[in-house]
Amino acid sequence: TQSTWGCGAFSNHMWRRPHPFHTLTTRTVTISLAIAVALVWVCLIVLLLAAQPLSSTNSATTTTTVTTPNTKSTALTSSSLDREVLIVMSTGGGLWNTGVWSGYGPKVSTLAWANQGIVVDKRQCRVPCTVTHDQSMIPKADAVLMEVINHPKFLGARSRNVPFPFPPRKRDNPKLPIFASFHFEPVENFPDLLENAEFMDNFEIQMSPSQSSNIPITMTCPWAKSPKEYLKMPNFAEKKKLIVYFNEHGIVRQYADFVNELITVLDDDIDAFQTRKNREMPPEAADPSKRVDFISQYHFALITEFTSEEDWVESQLSQAILAGAVPLYIGAPNILDHVPSRDSFIDLKDWSSRPARQLATFLKSVSTDAEAYRRYFDWKKKPLPEHYQKRLDDCVFYAECRLCAEVAKRVAAIEKEHKK
């Protein structure tokens, strides 16, 4: 049978019967046989190499790595664990849930709520792994994932009188299951838990927006697009409106006066759909799977976080960058870690000591100057910067694969130690 590499064709050609009108000498036959044998060995080697799994770049929808053109892959390597990993997402003894908003569990999930309709595909994690809400599987689990902030979120004030429902450890190995915490909220919202070192030390693995956590998670995501879209140049001619504003959680207190003054000065030049609302939100803007396309008609997108906390960056920033709208940003003090370059956005802190009218005048001027506007996208002429690729790789919706790999590595070490 001819192989996909065509080796069968080569060997059949070399071994076919000689034409009756030709006579081969002994030397010719010997050379032909030698060549045929050599080709067979070459084909066998090629086929063996082809059977090995590829470990180069991986797409965002199949592994934890969300790659873009000309970037290095950060694909996970398998652990020494010789079986499938089992992770159970805690329901807090029936009091709350874990990983529902982020679509954890199914290999292919359709997100709900704020990200409704966006499909996330995680079918090819490097480590064989099952992530489930089935609480009956906890006795067999390698790890239990707990969305810790849901304890006070669901129970309110009475959470202080209800002990946190940690699952029991295994009798034959008290280091299992591994406890993993998960949250995507600012620390200041839940200080009693997240700033409580004694409580957080119960978790061997922590998943949070902080870059210092075991598994950092971000809202820098593909948003129903190919990650390659991040490098797509915006079409200046299609920019019909000045500024869009989606914020619904408020404005950093120390910059609120400046931002409110800016919105007032801009008047009809800004479309505000939630905070300082002056427009009804059209259906295409309300649909998360279509929002990026909607934003693309604007020159700028106003992005205001409600708190100034390191690594706390909500989804609106990456959606604006992906849409090709220049962000006007105020929020995280380490914002340079979360944008492609210093020149890819406008930091409102740099303008906050001046009258807001000056910034409004500047924005209107840039919006009519194609050359000046395009300078904000010079970073797209090169591969995605390594630090920004990392933020994209850390998209919260694909974090299960990284969690599975981390759990596999730790369980392999625990079981090896336990056998001694």
Side-chain angles (χ1 to χ4, degrees):
T1 303
Q2 182 171 327
S3 74
T4 56
W5 289 90
C7 293
F10 285 135
S11 58
N12 288 339
H13 173 74
M14 293 306 301
W15 286 102
R16 68 189 181 190
R17 185 183 300 277
H19 193 283
F21 295 104
H22 291 87
T23 303
L24 296 176
T25 64
T26 301
R27 182 179 180 184
T28 302
V29 171
T30 301
I31 293 173
S32 297
L33 286 171
I35 293 173
V37 170
L39 281 171
V40 169
W41 277 106
V42 168
C43 289
L44 286 172
I45 292 170
V46 170
L47 290 172
L48 286 171
L49 289 173
Q52 300 300 312
L54 297 176
S55 59
S56 55
T57 50
N58 300 278
S59 73
T61 57
T62 55
T63 73
T64 63
T65 331
V66 184
T67 58
T68 51
N70 303 315
T71 58
K72 294 181 180 179
S73 169
T74 54
L76 299 168
T77 55
S78 61
S79 73
S80 56
L81 199 64
D82 58 358
R83 58 174 174 77
E84 185 175 52
V85 174
L86 174 62
I87 299 173
V88 176
M89 292 177 285
S90 174
T91 61
L95 298 175
W96 33 267
N97 60 45
T98 293
V100 173
W101 68 270
S102 53
Y104 290 170
K107 297 296 184 183
V108 179
S109 59
T110 302
L111 304 181
W113 299 318
N115 305 296
Q116 186 173 2
I118 293 177
V119 177
V120 180
D121 187 339
K122 302 155 288 188
R123 283 178 291 187
Q124 293 184 19
C125 288
R126 289 284 175 148
V127 173
C129 186
T130 293
V131 181
T132 179
H133 283 100
D134 185 349
Q135 303 301 287
S136 69
M137 300 294 286
I138 287 180
K140 299 179 181 179
D142 295 301
V144 177
L145 182 65
M146 292 165 260
E147 195 161 353
V148 293
I149 61 169
N150 281 353
H151 191 64
K153 216 172 193 181
F154 280 56
L155 301 182
R158 73 186 181 96
S159 67
R160 297 181 180 181
N161 301 318
V162 178
F164 191 88
F166 287 103
R169 303 273 193 176
K170 295 181 180 180
R171 289 183 180 180
D172 62 335
N173 192 340
K175 291 186 177 182
L176 294 174
I178 291 170
F179 290 171
S181 70
F182 166 62
H183 75 269
F184 200 94
E185 290 275 358
V187 172
E188 71 173 40
N189 281 12
F190 300 93
D192 290 349
L193 287 183
L194 304 181
E195 291 185 341
N196 184 337
E198 184 178 358
F199 172 74
M200 294 305 295
D201 283 347
N202 287 295
F203 300 97
E204 290 85 8
I205 297 174
Q206 296 184 21
M207 297 173 63
S208 79
S210 172
Q211 293 181 57
S212 63
S213 61
N214 304 106
I215 302 176
I217 48 179
T218 73
M219 279 288 184
T220 303
C221 300
W223 303 118
K225 298 283 186 181
S226 164
K228 296 177 182 179
E229 295 280 323
Y230 272 97
L231 292 176
K232 181 181 177 181
M233 283 289 184
N235 188 333
F236 183 78
E238 294 178 355
K239 301 286 182 180
K240 305 300 182 184
K241 299 184 178 183
L242 190 64
I243 302 174
V244 65
Y245 185 37
F246 282 108
N247 178 278
E248 60 178 314
H249 296 135
I251 306 167
V252 178
R253 187 178 298 109
Q254 58 266 44
Y255 298 103
D257 289 345
F258 175 78
V259 172
N260 282 319
E261 181 187 352
L262 177 64
I263 293 172
T264 299
V265 168
L266 287 166
D267 196 19
D268 284 343
D269 285 323
I270 183 170
D271 291 347
F273 297 115
Q274 290 168 305
T275 298
R276 291 290 305 269
K277 179 179 177 180
N278 65 358
R279 301 278 191 280
E280 291 299 325
M281 189 181 296
E284 60 271 28
D287 184 342
S289 65
K290 297 177 181 177
R291 180 169 288 185
V292 170
D293 290 332
F294 178 81
I295 296 172
S296 67
Q297 67 184 306
Y298 292 86
H299 289 87
F300 304 96
L302 178 60
I303 316 292
T304 60
E305 310 289 4
F306 68 90
T307 183
S308 181
E309 183 173 299
E310 283 206 354
D311 298 322
W312 177 251
V313 178
E314 294 192 74
S315 58
Q316 290 90 346
L317 179 63
S318 64
Q319 288 171 351
I321 293 171
L322 183 58
V326 178
L328 312 173
Y329 183 83
I330 195 70
N334 64 330
I335 185 57
L336 292 180
D337 290 343
H338 296 271
V339 292
S341 78
R342 179 66 185 84
D343 299 323
S344 65
F345 78 113
I346 293 174
D347 194 336
L348 294 185
K349 286 190 295 185
D350 297 341
W351 290 84
S352 61
S353 61
R354 294 180 255 178
R357 188 172 298 279
Q358 289 186 16
L359 176 56
T361 300
F362 172 77
L363 296 175
K364 291 175 185 178
S365 173
V366 171
S367 71
T368 60
D369 185 337
E371 184 178 351
Y373 184 76
R374 287 178 181 135
R375 291 194 194 106
Y376 288 101
F377 303 98
D378 281 346
W379 60 272
K380 291 178 178 279
K381 297 175 183 177
K382 301 177 182 178
L384 205 62
E386 186 175 345
H387 77 279
Y388 197 71
Q389 176 68 52
K390 179 64 167 60
R391 301 292 88 76
L392 191 52
D393 291 344
D394 290 345
C395 172
V396 61
F397 305 118
Y398 299 91
E400 284 161 290
C401 290
R402 288 187 293 136
L403 175 62
C404 290
E406 183 68 21
V407 169
K409 179 180 70 175
R410 289 172 181 258
V411 170
I414 290 170
E415 291 186 346
K416 182 179 180 180
E417 180 66 26
H418 188 66
K419 290 177 181 178
K420 289 183 179 180

